[in-house]
Amino acid sequence: MSLHQHPVTMPLTLPQLERHLLAAADILRGKMDASEFKEYIFGVLFLKRCSDVFEARFEEVVTREQKKGRSPTEAKKRADHPSFYADTFFVPPKARWEHLRDEVHRDVGNGLNKALGALEESNTSLDGVLQHIDFNRKVGQSTIPDKRLRELIAHFSKHRLRNEDFEYPDLLGAAYEYLIRDFADSAGKKGGEFYTPRAVVRMMVRIAEPKEGMRVYDPCSGSGGMLVHAKEYLDEHGLNSKNLGLYGQESNGGVWSISKMNMLLHGIPDADVQNGDTLAEPKHIEGGELMRFDRVLTNPPFSQNYTKDGLPFPERFRFGFCPESGKKADLMFVQHMLAVLRPGGMVVTVMPHGVLFRGGAEKDIRTGILDGDMLDSVIGLGSNLFYGTGIPACLLVLRAAGAKPPARRGKVLFINADREYFEGRAQNYLYPEHIEKVVSAWQAFEGIDGFARIVTRAELRENEDNLNIRRYADNAPPPEPHDVRAHLLGGVPKSEVEAQRALFDAHGFDPSCLFKNRDERYFDFADDLTEKGDIKKRIESDEGVKAKELSMSAAVDKWWKKQHIALVELPARKELMKVRATLLSTFETAVRPTGLLDRFQVSGVVATWWGDVQNDLKTVAARGFHGLVEAWETSILTAMEDESAKDNPLDHRLVKRLLPEYLADLLESEGRKAELDAAVKAATASDNEDESEPEERPSAKELKGLKQQLAETKKALTAKQTDFAKRLTEARVSLDEARARDLVLGILRGDVDTTLVRHVSSHRQQIVIACEAYWDKYRVMLTSIERERDQAANKLRAYLGGLGYA
């Protein structure tokens, strides 16, 4: 749907900025693949951001100098001195956006190269970050034409990128992460070289729990996501992230450059991220020794070769050296991580499963780590979560020698989370509910049937230090039981129904509505249950099921009425993560006693809801409830102008709440248009295409009338669609802060219900699957099959006899 240009004066929203950046990428997409052009987009974005921030500071300095009595010319001259920009970037004239936009029309690639070079030369913290980006580099047999680069500059000129232009402070960093993810998606296997899915990163950071005063290190830092999220973890918990040392090393120069820009766009100017091979040339040296860190978070490249000869600091590898060939350097990285830990330190690293069970030198290294009591946990992850590999990976949680809490000493926790994911089309994803389950299980350090198990050092030794996760935490479902007597003679074994008692009771379901008694050991299906499809209907209409689901809804409603005040106070208090912690803990306390969902499912409901709305809540904290409604309006109107938008903006929760009558009217008009369109097509179809009788066709006069009605309906529909922006803005303007608050809270409450319904429906479906399995197995007995076979054979013999073949 396309509407007239809407003048947007409100702050940039995350969906709006994401569309803006993707549209910039689309200008170059097709000319080259994502792995080639990503640095151009990042470079131009970085130039624009630096220039806009510089311009804001420049204006501040000019105003201040004029207040001191200097003339405008003198004030501008003083403002053009680098000394005023110690805490940001000084942008020299040839790197300023107005110069690129207004002056660089020919030889544009060279102009952009000079701009990047000048910006780097004027700021020592950018040394090596920008000058390698070459807009004149040949792609195939040609360079990017001036016209395409001018389009790129014109596109980035559409929006100013100062902090006050964003709906909440860290918006640009979030959008940059989105762009990195899009490039990883486009790059396919190569994406895994620089990007770890952020859900995995968040889970790792939550396990590591970085705190103020710590040093956090990523020896294979890629685009910098681990370090960025460590910093954001402190911000979210109200801690001082400026008192957190961030260190990283990345071997790929282009990816290192992207990570440096990522840090800077996230407001992290002092991260010490170096370029080089961590095994062959570790860069973080202190007093001639390896620097030590409190937390190591990383996703090193899987299955690499390495060269042992000349490795510096060989004492890092005190448990032994992996084979140099065969792509088995994984445990070399792990030993490096352990070697750089401070006392009390922790490592959380992604690893391929092979390190858990391969023999030879790798087994010796595992034994050394286990004997040193450094392995805390092994967490199995689902398949196809990472770019570049479909194989499942795991997380290893390791601690410095002697750092384990007393309850964990001499033990290893195995968590089998290989089923905790949402299955996507090309890749699988971790949802907040999956993260919540894994992190809470890790923190609890207790056995959970089919999910987690604590294993002693003695048991691991008995198994020759094989750490295969399924050996200790097997989540394979039990084999489907089959009762031979029931297959032969019919009936449903009561023992199988009883085995599902916990599932049925949790949802208040009484299975007697499906069965009648046959004898002491078996049920028969109820006489009036004649179709498999009726099983689901009976379960859904069961009084116990409905009562249990109503009790769950009542518990949630009571919880919301008591706890929503924390959201009301968010604009004043701005304590986002405290609100999250309060809502998670109180939700479990309020809802778990209903017994319908287990503790992980209950925490998953509110964690998933929070993950879906957290960006909205950031806007509430920054700009209030009316500010969020404005942001929603901006996103909706921007999406209406974007013909490539995947989602229909009219489906937005705000539209459904603010303009229900308009939507109903629009839906009716669209239905009428479709009805008339179908009638006209049917009336004008050729005789070969139309199966109706000729006398059923409308007359020429009637057809003309149909076409006229269709034209009028289309015209009216277009007018209603064009009027949408005006209607939405008028509805939004009519809201004061109190009404906006009530509107937003109503939408957020609806979102809780949407998430809850999905979990409850999933639980109910498990009951349906279990009961339909009884039907599939035992509804038709072997004797019935044999009888039908004999009847069919007799008919065939009679038929053949009639033909004279008997």
Side-chain angles (χ1 to χ4, degrees), residues 537-555:
K537 294 175 185 176
R538 291 205 179 187
I539 292 169
E540 290 175 341
S541 61
D542 182 78
E543 291 301 321
V545 168
K546 291 194 290 186
K548 181 68 81 166
E549 292 180 5
L550 281 173
S551 72
M552 169 75 84
S553 296

Side-chain angles (χ1 to χ4, degrees), residues 251-282:
S251 61
N252 183 299
V255 174
W256 170 79
S257 170
I258 290 171
S259 73
K260 290 284 285 186
M261 287 187 275
N262 192 16
M263 297 291 162
L264 295 166
L265 291 173
H266 274 91
I268 308 173
D270 52 358
D272 182 0
V273 182
Q274 301 289 331
N275 182 206
D277 184 319
T278 298
L279 292 182
E281 190 184 7

Side-chain angles (χ1 to χ4, degrees), residues 80-257:
D80 217 0
H81 193 276
S83 62
F84 289 103
Y85 305 91
D87 59 345
T88 181
F89 296 109
F90 176 73
V91 182
K94 66 174 66 174
R96 292 173 193 171
W97 196 256
E98 62 179 15
H99 169 73
L100 294 170
R101 183 191 62 213
D102 301 337
E103 305 296 334
V104 181
H105 295 281
R106 302 181 67 179
D107 198 10
V108 182
N110 193 41
L112 286 167
N113 287 346
K114 288 180 178 178
L116 291 171
L119 182 62
E120 182 175 316
E121 289 169 5
S122 300
N123 300 274
T124 55
S125 63
L126 295 177
D127 186 30
V129 174
L130 302 173
Q131 286 194 4
H132 76 283
I133 302 174
D134 182 7
F135 284 90
N136 287 329
R137 180 170 57 85
K138 278 194 173 184
V139 180
Q141 297 298 313
S142 62
T143 57
I144 304 173
D146 282 352
K147 181 176 182 295
R148 194 72 63 88
L149 293 176
R150 283 299 306 170
E151 286 177 16
L152 195 63
I153 292 171
H155 179 78
F156 272 104
S157 299
K158 291 178 182 178
H159 294 295
R160 200 177 64 176
L161 301 178
R162 299 181 186 179
N163 284 347
E164 62 263 32
D165 299 318
F166 305 141
E167 64 172 322
Y168 54 82
D170 60 343
L171 182 78
L172 185 60
Y176 187 85
E177 286 275 329
Y178 176 84
L179 189 59
I180 293 175
R181 186 176 76 240
D182 179 71
F183 283 133
D185 281 335
S186 302
K189 186 172 182 178
K190 290 183 178 178
E193 296 174 5
F194 61 88
Y195 184 81
T196 302
R198 292 315 183 234
V200 176
V201 176
R202 279 192 292 273
M203 181 165 66
M204 294 170 67
V205 171
R206 284 190 59 189
I207 289 172
E209 289 188 285
K211 296 178 174 62
E212 287 183 32
M214 285 186 172
R215 288 177 173 177
V216 178
Y217 172 58
D218 184 348
C220 308
S221 52
S223 58
M226 300 281 183
L227 302 179
V228 167
H229 278 270
K231 179 258 186 191
E232 289 181 344
Y233 180 86
L234 265 68
D235 291 337
E236 291 169 351
H237 287 80
L239 303 174
N240 180 15
S241 62
K242 294 187 184 304
N243 188 19
L244 182 72
L246 297 175
Y247 303 82
Q249 185 165 337
E250 170 55 40
S251 61
N252 183 299
V255 174
W256 170 79
S257 170

Side-chain angles (χ1 to χ4, degrees), residues 444-469:
F445 196 72
E446 62 186 24
I448 301 168
D449 188 40
F451 187 68
R453 182 168 168 238
I454 300 168
V455 182
T456 64
R457 176 70 187 99
E459 183 177 348
L460 293 173
R461 190 176 291 110
E462 287 173 9
N463 288 317
E464 299 182 330
D465 295 334
N466 184 322
L467 305 180
N468 189 309
I469 298 168

